[in-house]
Structure formats: structure tokens, C-alpha cells
Amino acid sequence: MSEQQTQSEARHVVVVGAGMAGVQTAVALREQGFTGAITLIGAEPHQPYDRPPLSKAVLLGKAEGSAFEVDFDALGVDLRLGLEVTAVRAAERRVVTGAGEIGYDTLVIATGAEPLTLPGSGGVPGVHLLRTLDDARRLRPVLDQRHRIVVVGAGWIGAEFATAARDAGCEVTVVEAAARPLAGVLPAEVAAPMATWYAESGAELITGARVRAVEPGQVLLADGRRLPADAVIIGIGARPATGWLAGSGIALGPEGAITADARLRTSLPGVYAVGDCVSFPSARFGERLLVHHWDNALQGPRTVAADIVGEQPTDYDPVPYFWSEQFGRFVQYAGHHADTDELIHRGDPSATPWSVCWLRDGALVAVLTVGRPRDLAQARKLIESATPLDPAKVADPTIPLKSASLG
């Protein structure tokens, strides 16, 4: 047995957070030859599960859960569920839990993000968030009874919940403080056409409206309107779940995310972070990225595992990707469209399918597709290669994106 293998067996990796990022870190460590001890700690009592089905199959009663098909015993992973980690004692290399302290040689933080709450809505009967399996299970009977639903927030999660509620036959009103859906995510000319999707589905969308208060049975808007509501769903975004790191010495950014380096190492030796709770520098896009999407939680653990086992990993610099199913449409996005100089439509956004491409210095850096999966697949490769494109060909939806290359 080599010296490296002996050292590996003697080491203990503790992973805090049993969502996609945490589970995949444990899996990637074993796949890359790590033979030491792995402890995976999850705050929820449930077997680790995937989150995207919560707003779809689980919410609509088409599935009871979405547990990962991972045999933790076979992997040699000590899975500890229903256990909250409350602090890190970096000097002693220990984490503090409700059941005592656990020592580590290497720590991986994968605590994800937590939903933002609406001030004053805490404890009001009928107010819900949709983040956990228990949230989805509590909401399922609400949809079954076809209640009047008010959704606060017309972002991705708000649109997905409104879609599920309409599919269940509920009366749905969506309230958005901005002038259009997805205002903080997409430019007006891209997001504005999506507003029509709500009415087409039978949901009412109220934009430019701020919530003054949530009371049992109703939502009060700042302009005096009162919206009857048997249930209220808050979908106004999420923040990194890092409050428990106060005093640990782990550096955080202004948005509360752990600021890691290009190998997802934090400011403390032997401590990594992965998934929704961490930002990382992107050479590809020229800025630090904080990505709250499933694919990031799947890809990042491979870099972390490679660094832990002593390989020579490449820097973590992905092309961010996510998808959303809403109002009968499959929406996909890849890349990062900040600091671009050209936006090109492929197809008519008043119909389906269509795509939007963002170019910087002639190269594709981001794409949004609605019902055009081939555009998405080809765009991801073009973004990775930074291939210069012919804008006229990009604008022609009959020409495959890969054929728009100037190379």
C-alpha cells in the first residue's frame, strides 16, 4: 500500500449539508479514490433528496418523494440526518452540532440557500415557503382543495408554483413588486413576453405591486387592494445559508456567500464550500459568480473531491446552466449575460419556440431557449469554446447555432 493511500485512509472528511452538493461530494470522493472516513450531516430527517421535483411531481401528488438513489452504506458514508450544525471551531477542526462536536481533517460546506421571507408574514396561518420536502407535502392538500392561491414573487420558483397550482385547478394570483416577471434576472425585452404566459394559463399577474401585509385569508397591497387568499406562497428569492458560520473566520461576501477560490477552497485551510452557499471567480466571464442552480451543485463537487484526494484539478469555471418548466413551456438557460454588447433573438418571442443569444466581442456568452433544446445544447459548447459567431446567422432560427461559427 502506498504512502498516499495510507494517508487517505487516515483522513476524515465531514460534509455539512445533505442536498445535491453534499451528496455528490461524498460520491465524487469515493469515485476519485478517497478511502478515508466520510461523515455526511443533514439537518432534515429525510433521506437525502433532489429538490427540482418538489415544485412539480411531489407537489402535484405524482410522486411521494425524490430521494437520491445512493447506497450510503455501500459507499462507506456515515450519514447523520436530523442533525443541525451550528458552528465551526476552526482552530480545533471541529463542527458543533445539537448532539455534540464532530472532528474533521477536511470540512466541506454544502448548506445551500434558504428562502427569503416576507417581513410580517411569519406565523400567519396559510403562509407557505417551498424549499423542503415537508413544505411540498404541506402544500399538496392545499392544491387538492383548489383553494384561492396568492403567490408573492414572479421569479422562477413563483412561476413554477403558479403553474402547478393552475394545473391543480386553483385560482391563482401572482403579485410582483417589479414591472415584469424575472426583473432581477433578465432584461425587459426578454422577460416582458413571459408576462403573457400567466394570463394564457388562467393566472392573474399583478406587477408593480408591493405587499403591505399578509393577514389570515387575505393579502393587502400597498395601493389598498385586498386579495382573498386561502393560501399564500412566498417566492421572493433565496440567500446563502451561512449564518451559522459567524465567528468561524470563513470569509463571506456582501450577499452572505462564502468567497472561495477557483478550486472552491475557503479562506480557512482544509475547508471547502460547494453549491448555492459559495461564490467563485470565473475567468471565463471575468467576475465572481454565485450560482443558485442544480447543475452547479452537481458539477462543483468533482473539483472539491479532486483537490482533496491530491489530484491536479482544473479550476472550477463552468458554464452555468438551469431549466424551468412553466406554463407548458420548457425554459433553459446557459452562460452568464452580464457585460454583453449584443442581444439577438432567434424566433418570435410572442410564439413558441424561440431563443435569445447574448454575444460579447462576437462570441456567445449566454443563451435562453424556450422550446428549442437543440439551441441550448449547441450553445453550451459554443460558450465553452468562445467561438466567434456570425450575428446574421445567429438571428436566423432556421440555421443551427453551430453553423453560425466564423471559424
Side-chain angles (χ1 to χ4, degrees):
M1 184 176 292
S2 70
E3 180 182 354
Q4 183 177 5
Q5 287 175 313
T6 302
Q7 290 175 346
S8 176
E9 288 179 353
R11 293 166 60 199
H12 182 198
V13 176
V14 171
V15 183
V16 180
M20 171 63 81
V23 168
Q24 288 300 316
T25 296
V27 171
L29 280 167
R30 292 300 188 223
E31 288 179 343
Q32 297 188 36
F34 181 75
T35 56
I38 301 175
T39 300
L40 177 61
I41 305 173
E44 294 183 55
H46 309 290
Q47 192 73 6
Y49 60 87
D50 205 5
R51 292 189 186 277
L54 297 184
S55 61
K56 306 171 184 71
V58 176
L59 188 60
L60 291 173
K62 298 177 182 178
E64 285 304 311
S66 54
F68 294 116
E69 295 183 0
V70 176
D71 188 334
F72 294 100
D73 288 336
L75 281 177
V77 173
D78 180 12
L79 180 61
R80 303 191 189 185
L81 300 175
L83 186 60
E84 185 175 0
V85 178
T86 57
V88 176
R89 293 176 56 193
E92 295 83 12
R93 293 209 172 201
R94 304 181 72 83
V95 294
V96 180
T97 80
E101 297 184 4
I102 301 172
Y104 64 83
D105 295 305
T106 300
L107 176 65
V108 181
I109 299 170
T111 45
E114 54 193 7
L116 296 172
T117 58
L118 196 64
S121 65
V124 178
V127 175
H128 301 266
L129 300 169
L130 181 54
R131 184 70 182 177
T132 68
L133 180 58
D134 287 336
D135 291 337
R137 288 175 173 171
R138 280 191 292 266
L139 277 165
R140 187 188 297 175
V142 173
L143 299 193
D144 288 344
Q145 295 169 27
R146 299 187 176 183
H147 281 312
R148 294 171 298 180
I149 307 290
V150 172
V151 180
V152 181
W156 299 115
I157 190 64
E160 290 188 1
F161 185 85
T163 298
R166 286 300 301 143
D167 288 347
C170 298
E171 179 183 324
V172 179
T173 301
V174 180
V175 178
E176 170 56 49
R180 61 183 185 277
L182 298 165
V185 182
L186 297 172
E189 61 184 298
V190 177
M194 297 178 176
T196 64
W197 299 356
Y198 289 79
E200 289 175 10
S201 77
E204 181 182 7
L205 173 64
I206 303 175
T207 57
R210 294 192 175 276
V211 174
R212 187 178 72 194
V214 178
E215 298 177 351
Q218 65 179 353
V219 174
L220 308 182
L221 301 184
D223 62 8
R225 280 180 287 181
R226 296 174 179 264
L227 307 177
D230 297 306
V232 180
I233 288 75
I234 310 298
I236 55 175
R239 60 170 171 250
T242 56
W244 63 282
L245 295 173
S248 67
I250 295 174
L252 305 179
E255 70 292 289
I258 298 166
T259 52
D261 67 9
R263 292 190 184 177
L264 300 178
R265 298 173 295 193
T266 75
S267 58
L268 289 183
V271 181
Y272 297 78
V274 67
D276 292 3
C277 65
V278 58
S279 70
F280 54 89
S282 170
R284 185 191 311 278
F285 298 107
E287 62 181 280
R288 180 168 285 275
L289 299 183
L290 173 59
V291 181
H292 281 186
H293 296 299
W294 183 92
D295 192 62
N296 178 52
L298 176 66
Q299 304 294 341
R302 297 168 188 169
T303 294
V304 169
D307 205 65
I308 290 173
V309 301
E311 292 185 6
Q312 296 298 319
T314 57
D315 288 349
Y316 185 60
D317 198 1
V319 174
Y321 164 74
F322 73 90
W323 77 94
S324 177
E325 297 176 59
Q326 51 184 270
F327 308 116
R329 296 166 173 86
F330 188 47
V331 183
Q332 294 177 283
Y333 177 95
H336 182 65
H337 65 264
D339 191 28
T340 56
D341 46 40
E342 192 168 9
L343 188 155
I344 302 174
H345 286 272
R346 285 171 60 80
D348 182 359
S350 66
T352 301
W354 53 274
S355 298
V356 173
C357 297
W358 286 268
L359 275 62
R360 183 174 62 212
D361 298 328
L364 186 68
V365 293
V367 63
L368 174 82
T369 70
V370 180
R372 291 182 66 97
R374 186 173 297 178
D375 275 4
L376 191 286
Q378 295 179 11
R380 290 181 79 171
K381 295 177 181 178
L382 291 168
I383 295 169
E384 288 174 354
S385 61
T387 304
L389 302 181
D390 180 341
K393 291 182 177 179
V394 172
D396 187 342
T398 67
I399 297 176
L401 270 178
K402 63 182 181 181
S403 298
S405 170
L406 290 173

